Amino acid sequence: EPEVTQTPSHQVTQMGQEVILRCVPISNHLYFYWYRQILGQKVEFLVSFYNNEISEKSEIFDDQFSVERPDGSNFTLKIRSTKLEDSAMYFCATLGTGGASGANVLTFGAGSRLTVL
Amino acid sequence: EDQVTQSPEALRLQEGESSSLNCSYTVSGLRGLFWYRQDPGKGPEFLFTLYSAGEEKEKERLKATLTKKESFLHITAPKPEDSATYLCAVQAVNDYKLSFGAGTTVTVRA
């Protein structure tokens, strides 16, 4: 079964450092998402990306965050200057073409755990 | 703003003891209501999508139902391997992103 692949599975970084989380979407999926889950809290939407641009972002997704699809396959989330409160699991999710029944299901990756010290 | 509230927060069951989880929601036009399963340290795993009131879906010991204001996930004769956090999420008609509830953590003891 097709799956969304995320790397790294776990990253430890110092406060103020830049971090890049990577996602390989399911082939031919067109919509890409990043979600965040702080330990013990709910899964929160960060940003959606379609047609090589951000289609929506949440209040959490401030200027320190950015996303891009640098090579047509990987989808990345960059945190420019990490803070302690950025410690969380970050999930990438992808969606096919939308529209028809069954085609609007988001498939999630296993996540990247970010620990900021 | 879309809102999803799940109850209870946690549920401890004996193997074979059936129960139900609740998800109440408000959304500006529902495209679909989703149930996902999440194991510790893993990503959400898709279970069901429900699109309209009255719809029901089943998968093994799980059955999901939908009304205009809430959804229920019924677990019939659960086994220890059903232990997980069950997440409810809504998708609005104007969007494909999901808005999640906080989840119900189910523990099934043998």
Side-chain angles (χ1 to χ4, degrees), chain A residues 31 33 35 37 41-43 45 56 89 91 95 97-99 101-102 104-111, chain B residues 4 31-32 34 36 38 41-46 49 51 87 91 95-103:
Chain A
Y31 297 81
Y33 302 82
Y35 283 80
Q37 187 175 33
Q41 298 187 23
K42 69 178 181 181
V43 178
F45 168 75
E56 186 178 353
M89 280 287 278
F91 295 109
L95 173 68
T97 55
S101 174
N104 60 331
V105 176
L106 270 66
T107 301
F108 285 78
Chain B
V4 180
R31 183 195 297 275
F34 293 72
Y36 283 81
Q38 186 177 30
K42 307 284 184 171
E45 177 186 341
F46 172 71
T49 312
Y51 294 101
L87 304 175
Q91 189 179 67
D95 200 350
Y96 289 112
K97 79 172 189 291
L98 296 176
S99 298
F100 282 89

Side-chain angles (χ1 to χ4, degrees), chain B residues 9-45:
Chain B
E9 290 184 10
L11 192 59
R12 294 177 65 85
L13 301 172
Q14 200 66 36
E15 185 172 4
E17 178 188 1
S18 301
S19 189
S20 295
L21 285 55
N22 177 264
C23 170
S24 60
Y25 65 92
T26 55
V27 63
S28 53
L30 181 71
R31 183 195 297 275
L33 184 138
F34 293 72
W35 284 97
Y36 283 81
R37 169 188 171 128
Q38 186 177 30
D39 292 305
K42 307 284 184 171
E45 177 186 341

